[in-house]
Amino acid sequence: DGKATESSPLKPIGTYAETKVDAEMLVAQLEDRAVILRFATLAGISPRPRLDTLLNQWSYEALSQGAIECYQPEAWRPFIHVADASEAVTSALTSWPQIKHRCYNVVGFNTTKRQLAAEIMAQTGCRITDSPSPGDLRNYWVSGDLIKNDLGFTPQFNMAECVNEVCSALKL
């Protein structure tokens, strides 16, 4: 409920999320030898782009099929561009003595699925259909304030820029 911070209770849904939480608990036991970075869903183009993450997948579907199916349109999701995620790792490594044994959310922007679908439609002209299917039950807004305050980390890519980059690359 509301804004999730690093101290919010973790409520994993599914095996993948459960294993991430289990791994984080193990890493936390390393005390001053580790920093935990909780990345939002990655978006954008990389040397091996993923088309199974929401922003990238919907951009691909918009261009290849002319339509996207938006289930749970009011659900919130956090995203981070791959370049911003890389910059967060660099920031953590260069600030290691001050932040060891800390946990940080790494978030570029939060958006509802409806807002994301509308941005993709604006850039591609695709159709959007709302789905009655419950689909994915995740719905969360994540704060990146702590990493900004501690490291001065400010993501450079917003939603429109991420969608533009993915769509431009997929049109080639």
Side-chain angles (χ1 to χ4, degrees):
D1 297 325
K3 185 186 284 190
T5 67
E6 289 79 359
S7 60
S8 297
L10 300 176
K11 298 177 185 176
I13 298 174
T15 304
Y16 175 72
E18 289 169 359
T19 59
K20 285 177 63 175
V21 171
D22 290 345
E24 186 175 302
M25 297 300 178
L26 290 172
V27 169
Q29 294 174 17
L30 297 174
E31 297 178 1
D32 67 346
R33 296 177 287 161
V35 170
I36 295 169
L37 299 177
R38 292 180 181 161
F39 291 102
T41 301
L42 292 175
I45 296 298
S46 63
R48 191 213 158 266
R50 291 185 55 185
L51 296 178
D52 62 335
T53 60
L54 189 63
L55 187 149
N56 292 8
Q57 177 185 347
W58 277 4
S59 297
Y60 173 76
E61 290 173 2
L63 293 168
S64 65
Q65 302 167 17
I68 54 178
E69 184 178 1
C70 184
Y71 52 91
Q72 285 187 295
E74 302 311 317
W76 284 90
R77 291 292 178 80
F79 292 91
I80 184 85
H81 189 279
V82 292
D84 287 334
S86 297
E87 190 59 37
V89 171
T90 300
S91 294
L93 290 172
T94 58
S95 302
W96 187 263
Q98 296 86 9
I99 66 164
K100 57 188 175 186
H101 197 61
R102 299 291 311 264
C103 175
Y104 293 101
N105 294 330
V106 183
V107 181
F109 58 92
N110 290 276
T111 185
T112 66
K113 288 179 171 181
R114 183 178 311 283
Q115 292 166 333
L116 176 59
E119 181 61 40
I120 293 169
M121 182 181 73
Q123 293 196 34
T124 66
C126 73
R127 291 182 326 279
I128 301 170
T129 56
D130 284 351
S131 171
S133 167
D136 191 334
L137 300 177
R138 292 175 289 172
N139 180 10
Y140 55 108
W141 195 104
V142 178
S143 170
D145 291 345
L146 186 61
I147 194 168
K148 180 179 182 179
N149 293 338
D150 284 5
L151 303 180
F153 173 74
T154 304
Q156 301 302 305
F157 290 84
N158 63 33
M159 179 174 57
E161 292 166 329
C162 285
V163 170
N164 181 270
E165 179 185 85
V166 173
C167 290
S168 295
L170 293 173
K171 287 178 186 175
L172 296 178

